[in-house]
Amino acid sequence: MYFKLKIWRQKSPEDKGGFQFYELDDVSPDMSFLEMIDVLNESLEIKGVEPVHFDHDCREGICGTCSMFINGRPHGPQRGVTTCQLHMRSFNDGDTITIEPWRARSFPVIKDLVVDRSAFDRIIQAGGFVSVSTGGVPDANEIPISTNIANEAMDAASCIGCGACVAACKNASAMLFVAAKISQLALLPQGKIEAASRAENMVVQMDSEGFGTCTNTEACVAECPKEIGLVHIARMNREYFFAKQSSENISLR
Amino acid sequence: MNWLSQTLASSLGKKLIMALTGLFLILFLTGHLIGNLQLLKDDGGQAFNEYAKFMTTTPIVKILSYLTYISIILHVIYSLILTINNLKSRPIKYAVNRQSENSVWTSRNMGILGTLILIFLVIHLRSFWYEMHFGSIPTIAYEGGGQIKNLYLIVVEAFSHLWYVILYVVSMVALAFHLTHGFQSAFQTLGLRHLKYTPLIKIAGLLFAILVPALFALQPVYLYLKNL
Ligand code: SF4
Ligand code: FES
């Protein structure tokens, strides 16, 4: 397959950056999108051109690092997949493919397609700890949890922190991500103990990182590679409002 | 900042205000529509004029009307604050962005729809609300009642102009689209989402968004045609 690639190149966070055009021939339809970039980078290196920098790690859809805004959508045209799981057969021979970094005030570009997503880490940190008993190893299934709740907590836990929700959202809102994290622990008995302060602190941190505010367009849900649902945002809202009127944390920012 | 103002200043707090004021305005629309339907009666405007008097003189309605003014103002101010902040959250736009692949147009353009509704509201209030409260409206006497303001006359006069009727119909289309997103969105923001009830809320929202603006739009069209 033959492709024309229009890729965002930016030397450093301070650099203005701009699009560069490349052509690539003999691309196998079974290559993953990242493999296609690998091939491009090899050819660039031979020519003595600096390869395109991009984030990647597991290449099997579980780490969430492979952030690329492809032809106007995070992780490209396919639903429910990350960039590493996207294959070139999803495109037509001769297509022009535009590749951009995630765009958000809270995700500054480091280089080319690599963005700094440590705002997510700080939100997780703000969530604090989960109390656990440090005694002997508890028996399996000692705490009864209904299958529905366990499944829903598992759904929330499948969030890989990729940031596609922020990238897709017209407001660059991180609410789907934060909701997944709050929801996952709020559903389980182990997470209930600190549920109120967790919701309060994570929302405060989310706001201070400069993400936008959700307007329920549902773009995040459509683009999330793990198909995290809106039900989690609703739960986050409940958790937060409930925490606000019931907790005794009155000295928060 | 104390905990309450901190809550209301947070992202979720601002959304809460948008949702609550929006839902209150939905209630207001319902009440306003019931009153307006009096215009369809073929009684020379008596029922409508009596309704207009009731609306401007009854204490409980007064309280509700102040709540409505406050809701409109808060809804507009908070939407501005949120929109400005949301625009700042993405200082560099995408070169290619296929938003239509992941969301519906109305949900992304509530601000534009809201602005159209606000412009309409200013014109609408100037024409009727202002006249009723501060203008000099001719009065009319009905059996068993004293002299009351004949707002019906003003309404009929206004809707004898075709451009004015068109303005109303177009504005009601904007309102309809605003409501298709806003109605169900308010419940989502409040955290009211449930496998059983959310589908019902969505259907109710869609019906409301179609029926209420359609019935509102019917009044000017009806009066225009009637007095041709
Ligand atoms: S919610 Fe979905 S899109 Fe957002 S970070 Fe988690 S996995 Fe990625
Ligand atoms: S590289 Fe790990 S999810 Fe794509």
Side-chain angles (χ1 to χ4, degrees):
Chain A
M1 299 176 91
Y2 164 80
F3 294 107
K4 289 191 235 40
L5 303 170
K6 184 181 165 194
I7 304 179
W8 183 262
R9 303 297 313 257
Q10 183 174 338
K11 287 199 185 71
S12 65
E14 296 76 32
D15 182 26
K16 249 190 96 221
F19 282 103
Q20 289 288 328
F21 294 85
Y22 306 97
E23 282 178 77
L24 202 57
D25 212 348
D26 290 329
V27 177
S28 156
D30 297 327
M31 271 183 191
S32 82
F33 201 85
L34 297 188
E35 283 164 342
M36 185 274 292
I37 305 271
D38 289 339
V39 171
L40 170 73
N41 277 346
E42 257 169 53
S43 74
L44 290 181
E45 235 165 326
I46 291 169
K47 285 187 218 147
V49 179
E50 170 113 3
V52 177
H53 288 246
F54 64 100
D55 262 329
H56 62 108
D57 187 21
C58 71
R59 299 211 174 197
E60 57 177 12
I62 55 168
C63 74
T65 47
C66 51
S67 55
M68 284 187 196
F69 206 80
I70 303 163
N71 278 350
R73 297 181 61 191
H75 301 138
Q78 212 89 323
R79 284 215 169 187
V81 296
T82 51
T83 308
C84 55
Q85 297 171 294
L86 178 69
H87 293 90
M88 297 319 291
R89 54 179 172 269
S90 305
F91 299 87
N92 297 319
D93 196 27
D95 274 359
T96 300
I97 305 176
T98 308
I99 312 171
E100 299 172 74
W102 285 175
R103 293 288 187 201
R105 172 172 54 179
S106 316
F107 288 166
V109 173
I110 297 172
K111 189 168 179 148
D112 295 343
L113 303 172
V114 181
V115 297
D116 180 358
R117 280 169 283 184
S118 49
F120 271 11
D121 301 334
R122 290 187 291 273
I123 295 173
I124 299 279
Q125 277 168 18
F129 54 83
V130 173
S131 294
V132 287
S133 155
T134 53
V137 180
D139 286 339
N141 299 325
E142 199 180 346
I143 307 170
I145 303 170
S146 81
T147 318
N148 287 350
I149 298 289
N151 286 346
E152 203 164 325
M154 188 59 213
D155 285 348
S158 65
C159 164
I160 51 178
C162 64
C165 42
V166 176
C169 176
K170 86 184 225 304
N171 311 314
S173 164
M175 289 208 183
L176 191 64
F177 165 78
V178 179
K181 301 304 172 194
I182 288 179
S183 196
Q184 170 194 342
L185 291 171
L187 281 161
L188 299 174
Q190 294 91 331
K192 287 243 182 343
I193 305 159
E194 288 88 13
S197 58
R198 183 182 311 116
E200 289 182 284
N201 290 325
M202 288 178 88
V203 170
V204 166
Q205 189 65 32
M206 169 178 80
D207 289 353
S208 69
E209 293 290 349
F211 291 104
T213 301
C214 174
T215 51
N216 301 334
T217 68
E218 308 186 19
C220 54
V221 172
E223 299 293 5
C224 171
K226 298 297 154 186
E227 305 185 307
I228 306 284
L230 271 192
V231 61
H232 298 292
I233 298 189
R235 181 173 298 104
M236 167 178 74
N237 296 358
R238 285 201 299 276
E239 288 288 326
Y240 178 76
F241 295 138
F242 181 74
K244 277 297 169 192
Q245 45 98 2
S246 64
S247 84
E248 297 191 341
N249 306 333
I250 50 171
S251 58
L252 280 172
R253 270 179 289 160
Chain B
M1 244 194 284
N2 81 19
W3 70 271
L4 187 60
S5 50
Q6 188 268 335
T7 305
L8 295 180
S10 70
S11 56
L12 287 180
K14 294 193 196 99
K15 274 170 65 68
L16 179 69
I17 291 176
M18 288 303 285
L20 291 177
T21 52
L23 285 176
F24 186 79
L25 292 172
I26 281 173
L27 284 180
F28 156 75
L29 283 179
T30 317
H32 189 352
L33 178 66
I34 293 169
N36 274 23
L37 289 176
Q38 313 305 319
L39 281 170
L40 298 180
K41 280 196 184 162
D42 210 8
D43 61 356
Q46 179 170 0
F48 180 74
N49 281 335
E50 279 164 359
Y51 150 75
K53 177 163 191 278
F54 173 79
M55 290 307 282
T56 41
T57 51
T58 320
I60 178 83
V61 180
K62 277 237 143 120
I63 295 172
L64 287 176
S65 67
Y66 284 119
L67 279 176
T68 308
Y69 307 147
I70 293 171
S71 292
I72 293 170
I73 292 167
L74 285 179
H75 202 75
V76 170
I77 291 178
Y78 273 81
S79 70
L80 283 175
I81 296 173
L82 286 168
T83 306
I84 291 168
N85 184 47
N86 286 345
L87 287 174
K88 281 200 219 141
S89 297
R90 175 163 295 130
I92 303 173
K93 307 277 171 255
Y94 292 107
V96 181
N97 196 354
R98 298 227 169 106
Q99 291 177 305
S100 56
E101 299 280 330
N102 56 34
S103 51
V104 288
W105 187 89
T106 37
S107 74
R108 295 193 307 269
N109 291 282
M110 292 297 276
I112 294 174
L113 294 167
T115 308
L116 290 177
I117 298 167
L118 185 64
I119 294 170
F120 160 78
L121 198 63
V122 172
I123 300 172
H124 174 62
L125 288 177
R126 175 66 190 85
S127 305
F128 303 125
W129 177 88
Y130 180 84
E131 286 302 325
M132 187 67 187
H133 285 82
F134 310 107
S136 52
I137 295 185
T139 54
I140 185 167
Y142 295 115
E143 268 175 60
Q147 294 275 328
I148 64 174
K149 289 186 181 175
N150 194 354
L151 185 64
Y152 184 76
L153 209 64
I154 310 281
V155 174
V156 169
E157 207 287 313
F159 293 140
S160 64
H161 305 287
L162 185 60
W163 70 270
Y164 208 71
V165 175
I166 292 172
L167 172 84
Y168 268 64
V169 173
V170 170
S171 304
M172 287 308 107
V173 173
L175 178 64
F177 281 113
H178 197 76
L179 284 168
T180 54
H181 179 72
F183 192 104
Q184 51 91 15
S185 177
F187 287 88
Q188 162 73 12
T189 295
L190 295 177
L192 300 175
R193 192 179 188 90
H194 192 278
L195 268 181
K196 285 180 185 158
Y197 307 115
T198 299
L200 295 179
I201 291 170
K202 289 203 168 163
I203 292 171
L206 195 61
L207 284 177
F208 189 93
I210 295 169
L211 279 179
V212 171
L215 287 171
F216 270 123
L218 181 67
Q219 329 287 331
V221 174
Y222 170 78
L223 290 179
Y224 178 77
L225 295 177
K226 190 177 160 192
N227 297 310
L228 261 186

